[in-house]
Amino acid sequence: MADKKKLSQDTQNTLWHARTVEDVRQTLNVPEEGLSDQEAAERLERYGPNQLPAPQRRGPLKRFFVQFHNLLIYVLLGAAMVTALMGHWLDFGVILGVVVVNALIGFIQEGKAEKALDSIRDMLSLHAYVERDGHRREVAAEELVPGDLVLLQAGDKVPADMRLIRVKDLRVDEALLTGESQAVAKQVDPVEEDAVLGDRLSMAYSGTVVTYGRASGVVVATGKQTEIGRISEMLTTVETISTPLLRKMDVFARRLTGAIILLGVGAFAFGMLARDYTMVEMFLATVGLIVAAIPEGLPAIITITLAIGVQRMARRKAIIRRLPAVETLGAVTVICSDKTGTLTRNEMMVRDVVCADASFEVEGDGYDPHGEVLRDGQSVEVSDYPLLGDLARVGLLCNDSTLDTDDNEQWRIHGDPTEGALLTLGLKLGLDAEREADDLPRTDAIPFESEHRFMATLHHDHEGNAFIFLKGAPERVLELCRRQRQGDEEVELDEDLWRDAAEKLAGNGRRVLALAWRQTDSDRHDLAFDDISEFTLLGLVGITDPPRPEAIEAVKRCRTAGIGVKMITGDHARTALAIGRDMGIGDGERVVTGAEIEDAADERLSEWVREVDVFARTSPEHKLRLVRALQANGEISAMTGDGVNDAPALKRADVGVAMGIKGTEVSKEASEMVLADDNFASIVDAVEEGRTVYDNIRKSITFILPTNGGEAFVLLAAIALGRVMPITPVQILWINMITAVTLALSLAFEPPEKDIMTRPPRPPKEPILSLFLGWRILYVSLILLAGTFGLYIYERETGADIEVARTVAVNTLVMFEAFYLLNCRYLHRSVVSREGLLGNRLALYAIGLVVVFQLLFTYAPPLQFLFSTAPLDGAAWLRVVLIASTVFFLVELEKVLFKGLHREARGLEPRREGEA
């Protein structure tokens, strides 16, 4: 077992990409004919199967019961036990039901990481072609061992991490590991030891896809030792961050619990020592006080508000996988976005065409062949610039890819994305691919290979003329050209002109290709390397993965909302900077690379995430470190992504956002939110909904807690004055539950306020119950105390029975809440307007429903029996309504008097220097 562990570590830690083929063969003892079956079996026993191990999982019972391990849940269970001891089984059932529903939601959402690991395992290849004992055979991918010789061809999924030993024009799509949009051309030669993952051209990694060419390689790592296995291991160790709401509710619950216990003990002691209550009387009074102080309906209201937010977001193409993430979106201060497929379309497109005497700009999106070609802002036709048509024709015919549309009428490429961009250019210029191929049929070709960095094709027209078309890397094509086309003439090649043009395009983040042609002997039907010379250069094309137009607008909206946007990509620094400039991300000059992140201390990284917005050539570990650095700075981070390489950072971020269409299952399972339309703009819509949800939760808290405060103050006032309790514990539960399930619930449906996306993000450390809201709750609680206790005393002093006085007190409290509900529609702005008073019909319906409930509470004999109530006359109701309505006017007056503080509380006015 120890030997097996050592060998596994050897395969993981060796820098295979930096070693020569001979060295790799010798180290792993790989014969020319491949491993023997016996040796393969021994190595399989030694290294283990080529699959990712299943993680240990908690059983369903443990997963369920751990959901109750929360202080607020303990408070609720205590409230349920109190109601059960009082024999109020209906309320006991309601409170217990709230607790169980919350636990079920957590139980269902539990196991997200386990699903992510399952998704990674599903991404591994199912089979592989190997050389063993000198024979090619197909084996199950899980039977591969280090030292196996594996054969690859276009369309294959790489079955294990491999050191390439033979390459024939191999290109591999590594986007799921590196985020790089272009397929990578591979080579046999070793690379530098410190090369980042995307630059290890001598390696092919498990889970990536061969898009072109053929190769063979030696397996150097299997199972959890592979790069994709490392990501799997990272997912098991990455800690999921608790959401701001849960953290704040935990603090709130601890403080509330402590306050309730102290309040109960203090009241009990005062009543026994200072007011000569009996122990039984004080026990009942203390129970009533505790029941009054516990907001039984608050967790249910928060859960319902979050659920409503989920529904609203789903209508805006944002699917929430974890309920508290709805609110977290509203707290986001920075969005870390992957580039490929998130900010960009993940579709290559020709953006620039440079000829000797003219430059052109190409419009459009991705592979869609609709778009104009412009010169100096004016649309051009091929007939006006024959050279432009010849260049596009070379790109169209010196090409092995095809374009078509899928079932949704979306254009897609079959083959190399760069060639797809050239096809689209030809179609935009009005060329017909089939007709051009008929007019100039291909006779022979030299395919693109990394060794010579060009592709050439031989064509004959129907008049007997023969042409060679050439495309490739600019520096290589320039070596093969002697002349250039300038208008209708051919002149001597100006190498400096073209090198400067290529450098300028590359500086703008373009991938540059040069296109050339020459006429050859009409009787030539074979193409050899000796024929590749004396070409005439037609021009250069600049190719890019274009940004999504809606994403550009979304970035602007983020800026307006005070949300930072950072691009974290596996692509090259120059490309990242160019896309950043197009998107409005960063200053267009500063970029930090993965190599710099690798060597940076945590303190330096914290500085970079404050100052720099573009990060390039990043690995999964780098993305994870960047997210952690942001969180260490106190930021609430959202991380977008679609590849396996994004999964650890998605899981660690406060909100992980995966792409629903192009995203891998791994990224979806590791995230809290999935964009159904892969539209970056949907994130901003989701942030708006998240802010609305948080607003509505705060409105609900600001509405519910004065009810508890007013009830508690009324009971404390009675104890302090030595009077009979104005409200019984059973009546308190009635008030709490009726106002929670009717009035407070209506606030969950409040639409967003007009200024919600022009406010800066709320401070991450801001408590859910701020000083301002604490003042509002105290202010309203005192109003409720004065009105309710005052009317109760009035009724008793004028000779009313205790049942009548208590019925007046209960109705006064509930009517206070009905009027106060209107104030809470806007916490800071006045509601004295048509929109403020009538803008939420559900609030008006809730008030009407509460009136019906209170009439039943007062006059229905069964409820009179249960709650010890008595009927009231018209004069009593008039007093109740008049006194209760005062809260509306007093709160609106407070909004006017403290208008400046309200603006500051909403973040509309920054605090002056020196202010606390």
Side-chain angles (χ1 to χ4, degrees), residues 175-193:
L176 66 84
L177 285 177
T178 66
E180 188 165 352
S181 54
Q182 302 173 19
V184 180
K186 294 294 184 176
Q187 65 185 38
V188 172
D189 296 335
V191 298
E192 296 296 325
E193 286 188 2

Side-chain angles (χ1 to χ4, degrees), residues 11-235:
T11 63
Q12 182 182 29
N13 297 332
T14 303
L15 299 173
W16 299 108
H17 56 276
R19 302 177 67 173
T20 64
V21 171
E22 294 75 16
D23 190 13
V24 172
R25 279 183 173 275
Q26 184 176 0
T27 301
L28 292 174
N29 193 17
V30 183
E32 285 294 331
E33 66 275 9
L35 301 178
S36 66
D37 288 336
Q38 179 180 352
E39 177 64 20
E42 291 176 0
R43 294 192 184 191
L44 185 63
E45 176 66 24
R46 197 185 314 158
Y47 292 100
N50 179 32
Q51 60 187 18
L52 301 183
Q56 292 183 347
R57 301 182 179 180
R58 292 186 298 195
L61 282 178
K62 187 174 181 180
R63 283 175 53 200
F64 178 73
F65 283 113
V66 79
Q67 308 302 323
F68 294 91
H69 184 55
N70 179 284
L71 187 58
L72 189 59
I73 297 299
Y74 296 152
V75 173
L76 282 173
L77 289 172
M81 293 305 299
V82 170
T83 55
L85 290 173
M86 293 188 302
H88 207 286
W89 298 107
L90 176 62
D91 291 305
F92 169 76
V94 171
I95 298 171
L96 194 62
V98 168
V99 174
V100 172
V101 167
N102 284 338
L104 285 173
I105 291 171
F107 175 76
I108 292 170
Q109 296 299 332
E110 181 86 16
K112 178 177 59 174
E114 294 144 356
K115 291 182 180 178
L117 295 177
D118 289 339
S119 300
I120 291 182
R121 285 192 291 275
D122 291 342
M123 295 188 70
L124 300 182
S125 179
L126 299 177
H127 61 84
Y129 291 95
V130 300
E131 287 275 356
R132 284 187 180 169
D133 284 327
H135 300 287
R136 179 181 299 186
R137 66 181 66 175
E138 182 179 356
V139 300
E142 65 184 38
E143 296 177 8
L144 288 179
V145 296
D148 257 327
L149 287 176
V150 176
L151 310 174
L152 297 174
Q153 60 184 10
D156 284 352
K157 186 179 287 186
V158 180
D161 285 4
M162 299 165 49
R163 174 60 167 92
L164 300 171
I165 60 175
R166 282 189 293 272
V167 168
K168 180 69 173 177
D169 191 21
L170 182 71
R171 277 173 268 181
V172 180
D173 180 357
E174 296 182 331
L176 66 84
L177 285 177
T178 66
E180 188 165 352
S181 54
Q182 302 173 19
V184 180
K186 294 294 184 176
Q187 65 185 38
V188 172
D189 296 335
V191 298
E192 296 296 325
E193 286 188 2
D194 59 355
V196 297
L197 190 68
D199 293 334
R200 296 175 187 174
L201 305 181
S202 57
M203 298 289 295
Y205 290 104
S206 179
T208 60
V209 178
V210 177
T211 62
Y212 198 84
R214 300 185 303 276
S216 61
V218 176
V219 173
V220 296
T222 59
K224 66 180 182 180
Q225 309 299 336
T226 61
E227 282 296 317
I228 202 170
R230 284 195 319 104
I231 294 174
S232 173
E233 290 288 303
M234 288 170 63
L235 277 176

Side-chain angles (χ1 to χ4, degrees), residues 588-791:
E589 296 179 0
R590 302 188 67 186
V591 59
V592 172
T593 64
E596 293 174 283
I597 296 172
E598 190 75 37
D599 298 331
D602 290 342
E603 294 77 13
R604 183 60 176 144
L605 205 56
S606 293
E607 293 178 16
W608 279 338
V609 296
R610 282 194 296 267
E611 301 168 356
V612 181
D613 291 334
V614 180
F615 298 85
R617 301 309 274 169
T618 55
S619 70
E621 292 91 344
H622 300 152
K623 294 183 179 183
L624 197 53
R625 283 194 68 196
L626 289 170
V627 170
R628 285 174 171 158
L630 285 165
Q631 291 169 337
N633 286 349
E635 305 283 359
I636 303 297
S637 64
M639 170 71 186
T640 72
D642 55 5
V644 178
N645 61 317
D646 297 320
L650 287 173
K651 183 183 175 185
R652 172 70 188 194
D654 296 279
V655 183
V657 183
M659 302 298 111
I661 298 174
K662 294 183 179 178
T664 61
E665 288 303 311
V666 183
S667 63
K668 294 174 189 176
E669 293 295 344
S671 65
E672 281 79 19
M673 184 172 84
V674 177
L675 300 182
D677 58 356
D678 281 15
N679 191 337
F680 184 83
S682 297
I683 301 174
V684 187
D685 294 337
V687 168
E688 181 180 357
E689 291 294 347
R691 291 186 173 190
T692 302
V693 164
Y694 187 75
D695 265 10
N696 292 348
I697 288 174
R698 293 200 341 148
K699 291 174 183 177
S700 297
I701 291 173
T702 310
F703 173 78
I704 288 175
L705 291 188
T707 305
N708 302 102
E711 293 166 347
F713 284 163
V714 166
L715 295 181
L716 286 173
I719 293 172
L721 297 175
R723 304 190 70 100
V724 177
M725 293 298 107
I727 314 172
T728 67
V730 176
Q731 290 171 342
I732 289 170
L733 277 172
W734 166 269
I735 297 170
N736 289 352
M737 297 311 296
I738 285 300
T739 56
V741 300
T742 54
L743 301 178
L745 184 59
S746 68
L747 292 174
F749 294 89
E750 280 292 318
E753 296 187 28
K754 294 180 180 179
D755 64 348
I756 200 162
M757 287 303 286
T758 58
R759 310 175 196 166
R762 64 180 184 272
K765 295 183 179 180
E766 177 189 77
I768 196 164
L769 194 61
S770 64
L771 287 175
F772 166 73
L773 291 186
W775 150 251
R776 172 68 63 77
I777 291 167
L778 176 62
Y779 177 62
V780 175
S781 297
L782 292 173
I783 295 172
L784 268 60
L785 164 65
T788 302
F789 196 66
L791 268 184

Side-chain angles (χ1 to χ4, degrees), residues 750 819 821-823 825-826 830-845 847 888-889 892:
E750 280 292 318
F819 281 103
L821 177 68
L822 298 175
N823 299 117
R825 289 206 58 228
Y826 303 148
S830 173
V831 296
V832 184
S833 65
R834 178 181 177 84
E835 176 63 26
L837 296 174
L838 306 177
N840 183 354
R841 291 186 178 182
L842 286 176
L844 302 178
Y845 296 154
I847 292 172
F888 177 82
F889 301 104
E892 290 303 301

Side-chain angles (χ1 to χ4, degrees), residues 309-310 312-320 326 329-330 332 335 342-343 548-555 557-558 563 638 640 655 657-661 673-691 757:
V310 168
R312 285 178 171 175
M313 288 183 183
R315 289 195 290 269
R316 301 179 80 168
K317 306 299 184 183
I319 310 302
I320 298 297
V326 178
L329 278 162
V332 163
I335 298 175
T342 308
L343 295 171
R548 295 172 176 268
E550 64 273 20
I552 297 175
E553 183 61 32
V555 170
R557 291 181 64 196
C558 286
I563 300 169
T640 72
V655 183
V657 183
M659 302 298 111
I661 298 174
M673 184 172 84
V674 177
L675 300 182
D677 58 356
D678 281 15
N679 191 337
F680 184 83
S682 297
I683 301 174
V684 187
D685 294 337
V687 168
E688 181 180 357
E689 291 294 347
R691 291 186 173 190
M757 287 303 286

